[in-house]
Structure formats: C-alpha cells, structure tokens
Amino acid sequence: MDYSQFLAMKQEIALLGVFLLVFLYDLFMPKNSQRGLSGFTIAMFAIFTVSCFCPVFISGQEVAFGGMYVTNPVMLTIKNILNVGVLIVLIQASRWANSEMQIIRRGEFYSLMLVTLFGMYLMISARHFLLFVIGLECASLPLAAMVAFEKNHYESHEAAIKYILTAVFSSAIFMLGLSFVYGLAGSLYFDSVYFALTGADATDPMLIVALAFVMAGVGFKLSLVPFHLWTADVYQGAPTSVTSYLSVISKGSAAFAFMVILTQVFGCVYSQVWEWMLYALIILTITVGNLFALRQHNMKRFLAFSSISQAGYIMLGIIGCNAMGMASLMFYILVYIFSNLAAFGVIQAIENQTGKVDMTDYRGLYKSNPHLSVVMMLAMFSLAGIPPFAGFFSKFFIFTGALSGTESTALYVLVLIALINTIISLFYYLLVVKAMFLSSEEPVIAPFRSACSERVGMWITVAGILALGLVSCFYNQILILCQTWGLPSLA
Amino acid sequence: MEIKLLYYLIPSLIMFCCGVYGFLTRKNMIAILISLELMLNSIDINFVVFNRYLYPDGHEGMFFSLFAIAIAAAETALAIAIIINLYRATKNIDVRDTNKLKG
C-alpha cells in the first residue's frame, strides 16, 4: 500500500492532530494546569484554522484510496468555512464549559466536537458511499452524546433520546436507499453510479424509490420538512452551545454533502426525478418552518424553526444545479454561520447569567443591556435579509443562483414563494427586535457584564455580519473557485 | 430447487417494514431499539444478496454490510447509554412519559 496518499488529506490529519493534543492534555496534564484546557483548545484550533488558509494546503485536485476520497480548493474552502464556525462556537462555549457543573467533563466536550468535525470533513470529501456513511455516523453519533451533556437536566436526556432514535432511523432509511442504488448500479463509487445511471430509464421505480430514500435520509439530518419533527425538541433541550453547533456546522456540512450527492451521483436524472422532489421539499420547508416560528416563545425553539426555514433557502442553491448555485450555497452557509452564531451568542450570555430563555424575558433589554440588544438586532436583521447586512446578499445570490441559466417558469414561481416567505419571516424576526427596543415595560433582565470570551465571540460575529455584507470579495472568490473547481457535472 | 434473488429480497423488505412498524408503535425504548436493529439488519441482507446474485465479481456489498454491522453496534451502544442515563434520572423509559419538550 502506498502510504504517501495520506498526504492528500492534510486537513483531516491536522485536525486529528489537534484532537489528539487536546485529548492528551485533558488526560495527562497535572491538575494545576488543567485550568488552561479551554484556552489551549481554542488556541490550537485557531492555529489550525489560520494555517488552513495557507497556500500549502491548496494544490489542485487530490485523490486518495482509489478515488474514495477527493479534495480540491472548493472542498478546502467549505472546510475552512466550517472551521471558522467551530472556532466561534468554541469561544462562545468556554464560559459554559468552565462552569461548575461541566468543568470535569469539558475535555470530553472538546474531543467529541473535534471528532464530529472530522466526520463532517469525510462527508464532504467522500466519493464512495461507504466512506460517506462512515463520515455521516462519525458526525452524528458523538453529537447525540453532546446533546446529552447536561446530566443534571432532564430536558437534555429527553432531547438526546429523541435525537439518537431519529438519527438511527434516518440512517437506516438512507442505507436502504443505498442498497437499492447498489442493486441498480453495481458499485458505490459516485462516478460509477453516475455512469451506470446515465442511460438508465428515469421512470424505473427502483431508481425513484432509491432516490426518495436517500433524500429522506439526508433530509432528516438537514431537518427538511416533513422530516423536521425532531429539530425543535432537540434544539430546546440540548445545552445552548451544542444547539448552536447543531444548527450551523452540522447543517452546513450536511447541505454541502447533499449537493455533492445530488449533482455527482444523480446529476443525470436531475430534471426527470429529483428536481421535482426537491421543489416540493423546498416549498414545504420554507413555509412550514416560517409558520411554526411565528408561534414560538422559547428563543431556542424559535431559532430552531427559523433554522428549518433557512435550510429551505440553502436548498435553493442546489435546485439550480449550476456553479453559481454552488457558490451561493457556500456563501449562504458562511453568512448563516455568522448571523446564527451572533444570535446564539446573545442567548448564551443571557442564559449563563440569568437562566432565562423566553422571548418575554427580552422585553426592554435595550434599557438594561444595550450592547447585547444591538448584537441581537444585527443578527435578526441579517437572518431576515435586510439590505446593508450580510443576510440580504446571501439571499440575493441564492435566488440568482436558482434562476441563472434557466427558462423554467416553475423555478420563478419557487423563488416568488421564497420571497413571500422572506416577508413573513421578517415579521417574527422583528418581534424579537420590538420586544427588546420598543417595549415600554421595565426590563426583566438586570444590567450585567458578559464574560470576556462571550464578548470576543460576539465581536467576531458582528464583524463577520458587517464585513460579508459590505465587502464583495468573499463571494467573488468563492464563485471563481466554484467555476474552476466545481463539480464536473455542473460544468 | 434454485433459490432466486426475490426469495431473499422480499423477506428482507418484510423485516424492514416490521422494524418501521415497531419503531412507530412500541412504547418501551428498548423495544424501539430492537426495531431499529431489525431495520439495519435487513439492509445488510439486501447488500449481501445484491452482491452475491447480481455482481458476484466484486465484494463491495459484503464490505458495506460488514461496516454497517459495526456502525449499528456503535449506534446501539450509544443509544443504550443514553437510555440508561434517562432511567437514572426518571426511573422510567416509556416514550409516552418522555414528552416534556413541546410547544
């Protein structure tokens, strides 16, 4: 065996290195230096994140393990985007991880988080369904353990039960679909399946069933409607740091992997089979997510439904099946990471200080904590898509991506529905802003000063929201990369 | 008598459907876990049978089912651990009573 092919997976190996360092630090360092574990993890991961932007990592398309694993500058970019998100989550989580109840277990928390990130890397780079399934499980099983992390809270257990049972159920459905794909194509390599399906009859029931099961399986991970029922409960019950991780990183990687599967494997039956399945899923996801978000009072549940509808918008980048859609999907994930993490940063700061997560508790927040409420307002504006902020441009690009190079009226109707839903979503995002700024009642939450790590996390997210909205080079860079290195079937 | 491909596929599909039925109707979490296990095992049969009958030159299906067995074991172990945690907290593993999160 040629061991030099491991060099193709530089990023994965570097991440494993960070994981091992954190793991060994947690196990073997003497008690008096254990205090530095959080700082050590954040520092190591920050070094890793920054070094991944170095040109050493970018050297064109690299293939390992007989084509099972592929990496190229586009994959590198999406992994870097996820890295930035994980870094922010780590910074925001450090106060919670160092709290009295969690401090003995925080080493496990960091290790599990890095392992799930490794699984997501494999999901993104896999070109064989076996590697993909291993990555998927590696990304979702440790997450269940993280959801169950608050041992002394009943809600955390219930959320973990719901998460693990639906995760196993969905992966069973996904693998049943894969077994049909294998029966049809005789191989599990993405490109072999693509070639086997090229001349295939698109009305073959087995193909339709296989594709439906595969989409249902990944739809569970992405919490697309009608596979979304676990989302709100798990988001509410899990520790807030884990919720923020679930809602941005896990969702972002699953969305990218979903796009790879649909375009690389099933690209040849795009217009006959999966375009219409995805069409229905998008309309349902955006609308149902929005309508249920309207009636939520718990902030974490509210953001859960908002994240369901955001997943629908992300799917708009796939339905166009072109390079621009791919670029706007990646840009959307990037913007979504910053906006959602800003909102979760504020929620976490308030929860750590006072234990309150209800929307009614946010009344009059501007009077007592003006900085926090401004951050929250920016996050809500960005999620809703109000012009100068990043969220507007990500929505704009994703609509353009869905429509570029198509004459189909149906897609225009789809974008129109998505636009109407944006207006509905404006209502509930502004409800939070109204409660914070316009409520005449006395503030529920007394003034307090949030911890240093929380402030750093918020500064980064605010800078991201403003910079991505005002500076155009990020999107251009991603678009150029996607046009040169995009998936072959997207050309 | 020769055993055809279909004689394997139909029982495995019935097994899968039994798993889905059990997952949706059972009230005890351990029973739900057993139903999930039934679903995962029927997939292994599918892979092995497709490999043996349709593509006997390669071993991809066999390898996939080997890995799937390992993954299923990991999933069960984790689910059991979480259920035990819940049992310690509430002395109850009935899904009907696990419904505090809603809204």
Side-chain angles (χ1 to χ4, degrees):
Chain A
M1 191 183 149
D2 178 18
Y3 286 100
S4 66
Q5 59 184 328
F6 278 101
L7 284 176
M9 13 180 13
K10 291 185 200 74
Q11 249 181 329
E12 278 79 3
I13 289 174
L15 178 67
L16 273 189
V18 174
F19 161 71
L20 277 179
L21 281 177
V22 170
F23 186 65
L24 293 177
Y25 189 105
D26 180 40
L27 271 183
F28 293 118
M29 283 306 259
K31 224 179 188 121
N32 50 2
S33 54
Q34 282 291 343
R35 285 214 332 268
L37 178 61
S38 291
F40 178 76
T41 312
I42 293 172
M44 290 324 276
F45 197 81
I47 294 170
F48 165 66
T49 307
V50 172
S51 60
C52 278
F53 283 101
C54 290
V56 179
F57 279 96
I58 304 172
S59 45
Q61 181 109 344
E62 293 203 46
V63 180
F65 311 124
M68 269 192 168
Y69 173 94
V70 168
T71 187
N72 65 27
V74 176
M75 313 276 158
L76 189 90
T77 311
I78 185 77
K79 286 174 191 168
N80 280 340
I81 290 174
L82 295 181
N83 281 346
V84 172
V86 173
L87 184 63
I88 300 172
V89 172
L90 280 175
I91 293 173
Q92 286 179 340
S94 71
R95 183 175 176 198
W96 172 76
N98 287 316
S99 66
E100 208 177 318
M101 296 308 296
Q102 308 302 336
I103 195 153
I104 46 163
R105 279 176 282 147
R106 61 182 177 169
E108 293 155 36
F109 176 74
Y110 291 134
S111 316
L112 286 175
M113 190 181 266
L114 296 176
V115 170
T116 53
L117 185 63
F118 180 76
M120 289 165 200
Y121 277 13
L122 288 188
M123 264 167 82
I124 289 169
S125 278
R127 287 297 174 276
H128 186 277
F129 274 116
L130 179 54
L131 193 63
F132 180 84
V133 167
I134 293 172
L136 187 76
E137 299 302 336
C138 188
S140 66
L141 293 186
L143 262 174
M146 282 160 73
V147 171
F149 220 74
E150 293 217 47
K151 264 184 158 173
N152 42 338
H153 280 107
Y154 165 78
E155 289 81 7
S156 186
H157 296 305
E158 185 180 328
I161 290 279
K162 286 178 173 167
Y163 183 73
I164 185 79
L165 291 182
T166 43
V168 179
F169 186 73
S170 69
S171 56
I173 288 185
F174 179 68
M175 289 203 273
L176 183 71
L178 285 191
S179 76
F180 290 150
V181 171
Y182 179 65
L184 273 174
S187 172
L188 288 166
Y189 281 100
F190 284 11
D191 41 0
S192 315
V193 178
Y194 185 88
F195 286 125
L197 293 181
T198 305
D201 176 18
T203 54
D204 183 358
M206 190 141 151
L207 174 65
I208 295 176
V209 169
L211 193 49
F213 280 166
V214 168
M215 285 178 92
V218 187
F220 265 109
K221 306 281 175 211
L222 269 169
S223 59
L224 301 177
V225 177
F227 319 111
H228 68 291
L229 288 166
W230 58 276
T231 317
D233 290 352
V234 172
Y235 280 26
Q236 185 189 350
T240 313
S241 315
V242 180
T243 309
S244 58
Y245 186 76
L246 258 176
S247 75
V248 292
I249 313 294
S250 168
K251 189 164 280 188
S253 62
F256 190 86
F258 196 33
M259 182 182 69
V260 170
I261 287 189
L262 284 183
T263 54
Q264 287 281 90
V265 184
F266 300 109
C268 45
V269 289
Y270 160 66
S271 58
Q272 297 104 321
V273 187
W274 62 261
E275 188 185 6
W276 305 109
M277 293 185 188
L278 198 62
Y279 192 89
L281 279 183
I282 290 175
I283 293 182
L284 274 176
T285 306
I286 297 182
T287 317
V288 174
N290 268 339
L291 294 181
F292 277 88
L294 286 175
R295 50 183 286 259
Q296 299 305 323
H297 300 294
N298 182 303
M299 282 302 279
K300 278 156 88 177
R301 274 189 97 83
F302 160 73
L303 279 176
F305 281 106
S306 122
S307 88
I308 291 175
S309 80
Q310 299 279 350
Y313 288 107
I314 295 178
M315 290 301 104
L316 279 174
I318 301 179
I319 202 167
C321 203
N322 54 38
M324 191 173 171
M326 184 180 182
S328 48
L329 177 133
M330 287 164 68
F331 186 70
Y332 201 102
I333 293 172
L334 179 63
V335 170
Y336 177 60
I337 282 177
F338 280 112
S339 340
N340 224 28
L341 285 183
F344 271 112
V346 176
I347 292 176
Q348 229 168 335
I350 290 177
E351 195 191 4
N352 283 337
Q353 189 73 25
T354 61
K356 292 189 163 75
V357 280
D358 246 36
M359 208 182 280
T360 45
D361 299 326
Y362 282 64
R363 274 187 301 215
L365 186 71
Y366 180 66
K367 281 177 214 151
S368 58
N369 292 294
H371 291 98
L372 283 183
S373 42
V374 168
V375 175
M376 191 63 150
M377 182 192 78
L378 288 179
M380 290 296 141
F381 281 0
S382 180
L383 283 172
I386 289 178
F389 306 111
F392 169 75
F393 295 98
S394 64
K395 282 215 168 71
F396 177 75
F397 289 133
I398 211 131
F399 290 153
T400 329
L403 293 180
S404 76
T406 177
E407 298 287 310
S408 139
T409 327
L411 282 186
Y412 279 93
V413 173
L414 179 68
V415 169
L416 183 70
I417 294 172
L419 270 174
I420 293 170
N421 270 294
T422 314
I423 298 164
I424 300 175
S425 74
L426 205 58
F427 172 73
Y428 61 77
Y429 286 126
L430 289 183
L431 270 185
V432 181
V433 178
K434 172 174 163 276
M436 289 188 307
F437 283 87
L438 300 178
S439 172
S440 55
E441 293 167 53
E442 276 305 296
V444 182
I445 294 161
F448 69 92
R449 192 171 164 76
S450 37
C452 177
S453 59
E454 288 165 349
R455 282 205 304 276
V456 173
M458 278 182 233
W459 276 116
I460 298 176
T461 50
V462 167
I465 290 174
L466 293 176
L468 290 172
L470 299 175
V471 187
S472 63
C473 65
F474 297 104
Y475 179 75
N476 284 339
Q477 276 297 329
I478 295 177
L479 185 61
I480 291 168
L481 277 180
C482 285
Q483 277 163 347
T484 28
W485 291 103
L487 309 165
S489 52
L490 289 182
Chain B
M1 186 185 106
E2 196 205 356
I3 300 177
K4 287 189 201 130
L5 174 64
L6 218 55
Y7 294 154
Y8 286 103
L9 286 185
I10 289 177
S12 110
L13 211 59
I14 292 174
M15 206 167 131
F16 191 88
C17 295
C18 288
V20 174
Y21 178 77
F23 181 82
L24 297 175
T25 55
R26 287 286 156 165
K27 303 298 177 219
N28 187 306
M29 281 176 199
I30 303 291
I32 293 181
L33 215 55
I34 294 171
S35 314
L36 283 174
E37 208 55 28
L38 212 57
M39 290 164 72
L40 292 167
N41 287 340
S42 81
I43 295 160
D44 297 342
I45 297 179
N46 261 3
F47 269 104
V48 171
V49 167
F50 278 135
N51 195 344
R52 171 73 182 71
Y53 278 85
L54 297 180
Y55 311 103
D57 317 328
H59 290 105
E60 259 183 310
M62 304 282 181
F63 277 115
F64 192 97
S65 47
L66 272 181
F67 275 92
I69 291 168
I71 288 171
E75 275 164 348
T76 317
L78 185 63
I80 290 273
I82 292 173
I83 291 173
I84 290 175
N85 250 335
L86 180 79
Y87 181 75
R88 283 200 185 131
T90 62
K91 301 283 169 229
N92 188 355
I93 50 167
D94 193 316
V95 279
R96 279 169 299 190
D97 300 324
T98 315
N99 58 0
K100 304 287 187 300
L101 296 172
K102 55 187 162 193

